[in-house]
Structures are given as C-alpha cells and as structure tokens.
Amino acid sequence: MDFTPGRPLRGYHESGQFADYSTDDLVGQRLNSFLGWYCGLGSENLFVDMDGNIFGASCRVGGTLGNIYEDFEIPSAWIKCNRSLCSCGADLFIPKAKNRESLGLLRKTRGLASQNEKKCAEITSFAAIERTHSSKQKQIYWEIGRRCNYDCSYCWPFIHNKTDRHKSLQELVSATEKVLQKFAKGSLVNFIISGGEPSLNPDFLPWARFIASLGHHLSVHSNGSRLPDFYRELIYFGDLNLSAHFEFVDIEKFAKVVAAVTHEKVQKNNIGVGHLEVKLMMAPGRRAQALDLRDRILQIPEFLNYCTYAFVPIRDGKLGDQIKLGYEPEDFELFGSPQSSP
C-alpha cells in the first residue's frame, strides 16, 4: 500500500521527488511554514470548533463559514496562507502548494497514482504537501465539545471544562448529514475527531458507528482514559491517536488500553482495523516519565510491528503556537518521526 505507517504527510520537491513525514517531523524540525502558499482550506478541509462554528482550518484563515448545527457555506477556491506557522496536525494535512504551478505535484489530492520511482528518504525543500493515506478524500477536523476529565496546565485557556452539555446523537447525526450534503458532495471524508475529550460523550460510539457505516473514515484523538473494550471497538472505525498527558495519565490503565488495541490489531493482522499511534506528550521536565512509558509500551508483544509511537513537544499559544520554552537540547533528539518496526 502506498502509505508509510506513522508518516501520513507527503512533501514534494519541485522536481517531483517526494518523501513521507509525520506531523511531529514538521513541527519538531520547524518545517511547518507555508506563508504565501495556496491551501485547500474550506474547499478540501473544514474545521469545527467546540461551539460548532465552521472555518476552513483551525488557523481560522478566511473567517467563519457558519455553524455546523445551523447553516454554512463552502468556498470553492483555494486560499493563500497568511500565517507564519502551521502547527495544528489537522491543518498540516490540508493539501498545499507553493504556487499555482506546484498544484500539479499533488497527485493524491487529484486521485492519481504515485510516481514511486521518485520516492526518497527525505527532501531538502518543499514545493507542495498533501496527505498520503487518502486519495480524493476530503477532511473535517471536528472538536465535538469542551468536556474533559483532565485539567492539564498547558491546555490553552478556555479550551476545556467539566460542565458543557454533550451534543446528542440526533444533533451529531443531523450535522454530519449536512456536512456530507454541502461539503463532501459524494466524496469520502476523513473525520478527525477531538475535544475536550470526545470519548466522554455518551453517544460517541453510536455516532462513530454511523459515520463508519457510510464508508467514511475516522481519526480519533483521545487521552486513553476509557476502558480497553471501548477502544477495541473504536479501532474498527478508523485510526486512533492515544495521547499520554503525564500530569493526569493513569499509567497502568493507559498501558492496558494500548495492549488491548494492539492485541486486536494483531488478531486481525491489521485487516479491517485502523492505525494506532501513541503520543507521549512530553512537556518540559517530563523526559524521564515519557521514556519510562515508552519502555513499558515496547514490552507489549508485536507493538512495533503493528503500531507507532512518538514523543510530542508541547506548543504554547502565548508564543504564537511555537514550541513551549524549557526543553533541554537532548529533548529535541526525541521529537520527530513516529517509531515503528523497520
């Protein structure tokens, strides 16, 4: 399959040569500046905030398009980026091109077969970038609520709480149908779901089943705090990103969840199940804890053959979405591509 596990981004040189990267690669190596580039936000990608407001991307370039629980309009043209950094993982997934000529490099976005003879380990400069895991597939990054059972000190202000009302299954299904009609227009959609903590919504699994039953793909971001059986079912609906936040994570429970999902993937030999990536959210001063959990995960049978993990730096909104201050030089050696078997 033309997809590198754990490296869902494809960067193209103007010559057509390309290499695959992870979102953490680009952020950790500071390769995430696309100022002045053309971006498919709005026409190829939507971002829905915790109040249901719709934008082309989480950067909010182009302004609001409406509300997903009410009504909205979809732009038809690509927009020029006016931001110095593109740091959100979902925003990095949006296809981009340095200029109009470079739009022709985006083969996946146009539904064309890859030119595998041009693949290389890395390239020195990008002229275009796109997702590797979806051909002619649109994307929506949906924050379905603020409710979260954690209270991480580095979470941006007003992002989460423990009191907001959960959206009902009827509200979520109705909004999804509206997205498919007005945005997808017959295309498949990759639904990237986060929160808050999305798994806290009591209707989350029924909603996920509904989306998957229509043939669409989910990429769910969770802190891994639900019971193992919850995630064992969820892995059948798409990809699963489990983030370990060391101020609150229950290490024993988290490891059991990772082991359960890994076992499910091994039993199915990766057929009909999504990818699992464990993100070790390594805030400054948390290196030892992150390494300890990494070592524990690596003891899970077959984990490296079926899953990936990555050390992820914490970003600081007060610094313009740059990496938080306080890291030691050796910390940056850990950030980068998700680790998996050769």
Side-chain angles (χ1 to χ4, degrees), residues 246 251 287-297 311:
F246 293 98
I251 297 296
R287 178 187 176 92
Q289 287 177 290
L291 288 172
D292 286 345
L293 181 54
R294 187 275 310 270
D295 293 344
R296 180 163 188 155
I297 288 171
F311 295 92

Side-chain angles (χ1 to χ4, degrees), residues 19 41 63 136 178 200 203 215 266 284 311:
L41 60 86
K136 298 186 74 173
K178 197 176 299 182
L200 295 182
D203 289 319
V266 172
F311 295 92

Side-chain angles (χ1 to χ4, degrees), residues 144 193 197-209 218 220-242 253 256-258 260-261 264:
I144 67 168
I193 309 300
E197 172 50 46
S199 71
L200 295 182
N201 188 313
D203 289 319
F204 183 77
L205 271 182
W207 180 50
R209 289 191 205 103
L218 281 93
V220 178
H221 292 256
S222 172
N223 60 26
S225 59
R226 295 295 299 264
L227 293 175
D229 283 349
F230 181 93
Y231 298 104
R232 289 175 73 116
E233 179 174 359
L234 193 55
I235 197 66
Y236 284 90
F237 304 146
D239 299 329
L240 182 57
N241 298 272
L242 296 179
K253 185 177 182 181
K256 287 180 180 178
V257 166
V258 175
V261 176
E264 198 72 22

Side-chain angles (χ1 to χ4, degrees), residues 164-182:
D164 269 20
R165 179 183 70 85
H166 289 302
K167 295 297 183 184
S168 68
L169 180 60
Q170 181 178 356
E171 288 174 301
L172 292 170
V173 168
S174 177
T176 302
E177 290 175 336
K178 197 176 299 182
V179 163
L180 296 179
Q181 177 187 7
K182 303 188 73 170

Side-chain angles (χ1 to χ4, degrees), residues 255-304:
K256 287 180 180 178
V257 166
V258 175
V261 176
T262 302
H263 178 74
E264 198 72 22
K265 289 169 61 61
V266 172
Q267 289 293 102
K268 296 296 181 179
N269 196 28
N270 262 348
I271 298 174
V273 293
H275 181 68
L276 170 64
E277 180 167 310
V278 175
K279 294 183 177 293
L280 304 169
M281 309 303 292
M282 200 180 90
R286 298 278 180 174
R287 178 187 176 92
Q289 287 177 290
L291 288 172
D292 286 345
L293 181 54
R294 187 275 310 270
D295 293 344
R296 180 163 188 155
I297 288 171
L298 293 184
Q299 294 176 15
I300 298 172
E302 300 288 351
F303 176 84
L304 281 182

